[in-house]
Amino acid sequence: GEVVLSAGTLQTPVLLMRSGVGDPDNLESVGIDVRSPVPGVGANLHDHPFVTVAGYLKRSAKQSDSLRSPTCIVARHSSRTQDRFPSDLYLGVAGKVSWHPFGKRLAGLNVVLYGPRSRGRITLTGSRVHPQPSFEFNLLKNESDLRRLGDGFRFIHEIMSTTPVRPLFHAIFAASFSPRVQRVNRVNWRNWVQSAVLTAVLDCVGPLRSPILNALVSPDV
């Protein structure tokens, strides 16, 4: 006698709002008839921001291809800020980051912020005929989130720079998942060949290795 329709965290509010359930001001602004005024639909949006310190492994330190999972170890850690709470950071050690030759030579540490205090919202824009969702995550807008994740970033950078870990890498850097990186991770022969050539070049260029890596995967790309 009951049907539950769920479209996930992001699309469920969109489905409700397009059906007339949501904040009356927002629905009326796009010409949708209000069937049930529920201002909380689409509010209180929050997610777990994360950052990564990656490194280009020396060939001798590369993870075995027989190990399928890229994530080797996970742990919980408490940030060292005054406004922290226990285990508010998640740490993940990745032995490789993708399927192609270049991805198998990249490893690193991820730090994810748990219990984010920043809040965003989902609203509709456009017209009644073509209402489009607008997602405002407002990641790190709360200063506490920025401080705690910043402390986590410093912590994983310290680990990557320690004497037992640093010699495993030719170079370490802050990584990003830019549109360029996403395109390279698509499974096809062209990406495999390009990544194989890139890996061969990086193994030979010496002092030019870091500039090339920063140009390809640095956060400001």
Side-chain angles (χ1 to χ4, degrees):
E2 182 180 74
V3 175
V4 177
L5 177 61
S6 175
T9 301
L10 297 181
Q11 296 300 328
T12 298
V14 174
L15 181 64
L16 289 170
M17 291 186 288
R18 285 175 172 169
S19 303
V21 180
D23 182 356
D25 292 338
N26 181 221
L27 298 182
E28 291 171 355
S29 70
V30 294
I32 295 178
D33 295 333
V34 179
R35 298 182 179 274
S36 181
V38 186
V41 173
N44 198 38
L45 177 65
H46 51 287
D47 203 350
H48 305 295
F50 75 97
V51 290
T52 301
V53 176
Y56 185 70
L57 288 163
K58 295 178 180 178
R59 190 178 297 275
S60 59
K62 184 175 74 75
Q63 187 181 63
S64 171
D65 289 344
S66 63
L67 298 176
R68 297 184 61 186
S69 174
T71 301
C72 311
I73 304 170
V74 297
R76 294 293 292 271
H77 175 66
S78 300
S79 61
R80 298 166 292 188
T81 63
Q82 292 184 347
D83 52 355
R84 71 182 186 276
F85 61 85
S87 299
D88 58 348
L89 298 175
Y90 167 96
L91 308 179
V93 181
K96 50 179 172 275
V97 302
S98 193
W99 60 275
H100 48 67
F102 180 58
K104 292 178 180 179
R105 292 289 295 278
L106 295 180
L109 271 167
N110 304 314
V111 57
V112 185
L113 179 68
Y114 275 12
R117 295 174 172 129
S118 300
R119 294 293 184 267
R121 64 174 185 164
I122 302 172
T123 56
L124 292 181
T125 61
S127 65
R128 180 176 183 174
V129 178
H130 298 291
Q132 298 298 316
S134 173
F135 303 103
E136 301 174 53
F137 284 94
N138 293 329
L139 296 177
L140 304 180
K141 188 173 183 179
N142 187 292
E143 287 294 328
S144 172
D145 291 354
L146 184 60
R147 284 192 297 269
R148 291 184 293 138
L149 187 61
D151 179 76
F153 178 82
R154 287 187 289 271
F155 180 68
I156 63 174
H157 189 272
E158 290 168 8
I159 295 174
M160 293 285 285
S161 302
T162 57
T163 301
V165 177
R166 184 63 181 85
L168 301 174
F169 298 96
H170 286 298
I172 61 172
F173 50 90
S176 70
F177 295 89
S178 65
R180 174 189 293 173
V181 172
Q182 294 176 34
R183 288 194 300 270
V184 171
N185 282 334
R186 293 171 184 165
V187 180
N188 57 58
W189 278 105
R190 180 181 177 183
N191 282 341
W192 188 93
V193 171
Q194 289 179 338
S195 70
V197 171
L198 175 61
T199 302
V201 170
L202 290 173
D203 283 341
C204 300
V205 292
L208 295 178
R209 186 180 296 113
S210 291
I212 293 174
L213 288 168
N214 288 332
L216 291 174
V217 292
S218 65
D220 58 348
V221 172

